[in-house]
Short mmCIF file of all heavy atoms in Angstrom, two decimals:
data_model
loop_
_atom_site.label_atom_id
_atom_site.label_comp_id
_atom_site.label_asym_id
_atom_site.label_seq_id
_atom_site.Cartn_x
_atom_site.Cartn_y
_atom_site.Cartn_z
N ASP C 301 76.59 184.99 78.39
CA ASP C 301 75.42 184.51 77.63
C ASP C 301 74.66 183.49 78.45
O ASP C 301 75.21 182.49 78.88
CB ASP C 301 75.89 183.89 76.30
CG ASP C 301 74.73 183.55 75.40
OD1 ASP C 301 73.61 184.00 75.68
OD2 ASP C 301 74.96 182.84 74.41
N ASN C 302 73.38 183.73 78.70
CA ASN C 302 72.56 182.86 79.54
C ASN C 302 71.46 182.16 78.75
O ASN C 302 70.52 181.64 79.35
CB ASN C 302 71.92 183.66 80.68
CG ASN C 302 72.95 184.20 81.64
OD1 ASN C 302 73.97 183.58 81.86
ND2 ASN C 302 72.68 185.37 82.19
N ARG C 303 71.54 182.12 77.44
CA ARG C 303 70.45 181.57 76.65
C ARG C 303 70.24 180.08 76.87
O ARG C 303 69.12 179.61 76.81
CB ARG C 303 70.69 181.83 75.17
CG ARG C 303 70.51 183.28 74.80
CD ARG C 303 70.70 183.48 73.35
NE ARG C 303 72.14 183.36 73.06
CZ ARG C 303 72.67 183.48 71.86
NH1 ARG C 303 71.91 183.71 70.83
NH2 ARG C 303 73.97 183.39 71.69
N GLY C 304 71.26 179.30 77.13
CA GLY C 304 71.12 177.86 77.30
C GLY C 304 70.97 177.40 78.73
O GLY C 304 70.94 176.21 79.00
N GLN C 305 70.86 178.33 79.65
CA GLN C 305 70.82 177.99 81.07
C GLN C 305 69.60 177.15 81.42
O GLN C 305 69.69 176.18 82.15
CB GLN C 305 70.84 179.26 81.91
CG GLN C 305 70.84 178.98 83.40
CD GLN C 305 70.90 180.25 84.23
OE1 GLN C 305 71.01 181.33 83.67
NE2 GLN C 305 70.83 180.10 85.53
N GLY C 306 68.44 177.47 80.90
CA GLY C 306 67.22 176.72 81.20
C GLY C 306 67.30 175.28 80.71
O GLY C 306 66.90 174.35 81.42
N ALA C 307 67.84 175.10 79.51
CA ALA C 307 67.98 173.74 78.97
C ALA C 307 68.95 172.91 79.79
O ALA C 307 68.70 171.74 80.07
CB ALA C 307 68.42 173.81 77.52
N VAL C 308 70.04 173.52 80.19
CA VAL C 308 71.03 172.81 81.00
C VAL C 308 70.45 172.42 82.36
O VAL C 308 70.65 171.30 82.83
CB VAL C 308 72.31 173.65 81.17
CG1 VAL C 308 73.26 173.03 82.17
CG2 VAL C 308 73.00 173.83 79.82
N GLU C 309 69.70 173.31 82.96
CA GLU C 309 69.09 173.01 84.26
C GLU C 309 68.08 171.87 84.13
O GLU C 309 68.02 170.98 84.97
CB GLU C 309 68.41 174.24 84.83
CG GLU C 309 69.40 175.29 85.31
CD GLU C 309 68.72 176.57 85.75
OE1 GLU C 309 67.48 176.68 85.60
OE2 GLU C 309 69.44 177.46 86.23
N LEU C 310 67.30 171.87 83.06
CA LEU C 310 66.34 170.80 82.82
C LEU C 310 67.04 169.46 82.62
O LEU C 310 66.61 168.44 83.17
CB LEU C 310 65.47 171.14 81.61
CG LEU C 310 64.36 170.15 81.28
CD1 LEU C 310 63.36 170.09 82.43
CD2 LEU C 310 63.66 170.55 80.00
N ILE C 311 68.11 169.45 81.87
CA ILE C 311 68.88 168.23 81.65
C ILE C 311 69.45 167.71 82.97
O ILE C 311 69.42 166.50 83.24
CB ILE C 311 70.01 168.47 80.61
CG1 ILE C 311 69.39 168.66 79.23
CG2 ILE C 311 71.00 167.33 80.60
CD1 ILE C 311 70.36 169.14 78.18
N LEU C 312 69.95 168.60 83.81
CA LEU C 312 70.49 168.19 85.11
C LEU C 312 69.40 167.62 86.02
O LEU C 312 69.63 166.64 86.73
CB LEU C 312 71.20 169.36 85.78
CG LEU C 312 72.53 169.79 85.15
CD1 LEU C 312 73.03 171.06 85.82
CD2 LEU C 312 73.55 168.69 85.26
N ILE C 313 68.23 168.22 86.01
CA ILE C 313 67.12 167.72 86.84
C ILE C 313 66.70 166.33 86.36
O ILE C 313 66.53 165.40 87.17
CB ILE C 313 65.93 168.70 86.81
CG1 ILE C 313 66.30 169.97 87.58
CG2 ILE C 313 64.67 168.06 87.38
CD1 ILE C 313 65.29 171.09 87.43
N ILE C 314 66.53 166.16 85.05
CA ILE C 314 66.14 164.86 84.51
C ILE C 314 67.22 163.82 84.80
O ILE C 314 66.91 162.69 85.18
CB ILE C 314 65.85 164.97 83.00
CG1 ILE C 314 64.59 165.80 82.78
CG2 ILE C 314 65.69 163.59 82.37
CD1 ILE C 314 64.31 166.14 81.34
N GLY C 315 68.48 164.19 84.66
CA GLY C 315 69.57 163.26 84.98
C GLY C 315 69.57 162.86 86.44
O GLY C 315 69.78 161.70 86.78
N GLY C 316 69.29 163.80 87.33
CA GLY C 316 69.22 163.50 88.75
C GLY C 316 68.08 162.54 89.07
O GLY C 316 68.23 161.62 89.87
N ILE C 317 66.93 162.74 88.43
CA ILE C 317 65.80 161.84 88.64
C ILE C 317 66.13 160.44 88.15
O ILE C 317 65.81 159.45 88.82
CB ILE C 317 64.54 162.41 87.93
CG1 ILE C 317 64.07 163.67 88.65
CG2 ILE C 317 63.43 161.36 87.88
CD1 ILE C 317 62.99 164.43 87.91
N ILE C 318 66.79 160.33 87.02
CA ILE C 318 67.18 159.02 86.50
C ILE C 318 68.14 158.33 87.45
O ILE C 318 68.01 157.12 87.71
CB ILE C 318 67.79 159.16 85.09
CG1 ILE C 318 66.69 159.55 84.10
CG2 ILE C 318 68.47 157.88 84.65
CD1 ILE C 318 67.19 159.90 82.72
N VAL C 319 69.09 159.05 88.00
CA VAL C 319 70.04 158.46 88.95
C VAL C 319 69.30 157.96 90.19
O VAL C 319 69.58 156.86 90.69
CB VAL C 319 71.13 159.49 89.33
CG1 VAL C 319 71.94 159.02 90.52
CG2 VAL C 319 72.04 159.74 88.14
N ILE C 320 68.36 158.73 90.70
CA ILE C 320 67.60 158.31 91.88
C ILE C 320 66.79 157.05 91.58
O ILE C 320 66.75 156.12 92.39
CB ILE C 320 66.68 159.46 92.36
CG1 ILE C 320 67.53 160.59 92.95
CG2 ILE C 320 65.67 158.96 93.38
CD1 ILE C 320 66.77 161.86 93.23
N ILE C 321 66.15 157.00 90.42
CA ILE C 321 65.38 155.80 90.04
C ILE C 321 66.29 154.59 89.95
O ILE C 321 65.93 153.50 90.43
CB ILE C 321 64.63 156.05 88.72
CG1 ILE C 321 63.51 157.05 88.93
CG2 ILE C 321 64.09 154.75 88.14
CD1 ILE C 321 62.84 157.52 87.66
N LEU C 322 67.46 154.73 89.35
CA LEU C 322 68.39 153.60 89.25
C LEU C 322 68.86 153.13 90.62
O LEU C 322 69.00 151.93 90.86
CB LEU C 322 69.59 153.99 88.37
CG LEU C 322 69.29 154.16 86.89
CD1 LEU C 322 70.54 154.67 86.17
CD2 LEU C 322 68.81 152.86 86.27
#
Side-chain angles (χ1 to χ4, degrees):
D301 187 13
N302 294 327
R303 288 182 287 180
Q305 181 178 357
V308 171
E309 289 174 355
L310 183 63
I311 290 170
L312 289 173
I313 290 171
I314 292 172
I317 291 170
I318 290 172
V319 167
I320 291 170
I321 290 171
L322 290 174

